[in-house]
Amino acid sequence: MAVGASALSLAACVNPSAKIATSLEGYGFQPVQSQCVGDRLEANLSIGQLQQLGRAAKASRQGDTTPGRLTIGDFVRVSGQVKDPKVPLEVGKAAAACGLLTDPASPL
């Protein structure tokens, strides 16, 4: 999940929400949904947690044969690889609140 590679490399990022949203749009999220997820993750996760999510996402995408495709299932699954239990909880809550769980097979 290159979400982590580009969207969640936030150490020097002034606006994590916008960076997350821009990256998610590249995977097929609607702009409103992308911004919603970005806003929620920025509000509820620390920069360190977002960086952990980013590293997990980057690691999970190595060798992927479909790097341009990302489903909400992929995103939630990767968030579960972060050792901090708050990360997958907040990713799941953001996905639900932003309307991404209505069609879990659709690309983000």
Side-chain angles (χ1 to χ4, degrees):
M1 309 214 164
V3 169
S6 59
L8 302 176
S9 297
L10 302 172
C13 184
V14 175
N15 188 347
S17 178
K19 188 154 178 83
I20 293 166
T22 298
S23 184
L24 291 176
E25 284 179 40
Y27 286 101
F29 261 128
Q30 296 300 313
V32 172
Q33 291 174 317
S34 299
Q35 191 61 54
C36 178
V37 171
D39 290 346
R40 287 181 169 273
L41 293 181
E42 179 181 10
N44 296 311
L45 295 176
S46 69
I47 294 294
Q49 289 167 319
L50 291 171
Q51 289 172 329
Q52 289 176 50
L53 178 58
R55 285 190 294 273
K58 183 178 179 182
S60 74
R61 297 301 283 187
Q62 290 180 345
D64 191 342
T65 58
T66 58
R69 179 164 170 77
L70 178 71
T71 67
I72 189 59
D74 293 334
F75 193 38
V76 171
R77 180 180 39 79
V78 165
S79 72
Q81 295 173 2
V82 176
K83 294 189 190 305
D84 184 331
K86 185 175 181 183
V87 174
L89 175 66
E90 293 302 332
V91 168
K93 285 170 48 177
C98 297
L100 298 173
L101 298 181
T102 56
D103 184 7
S106 67
L108 296 182

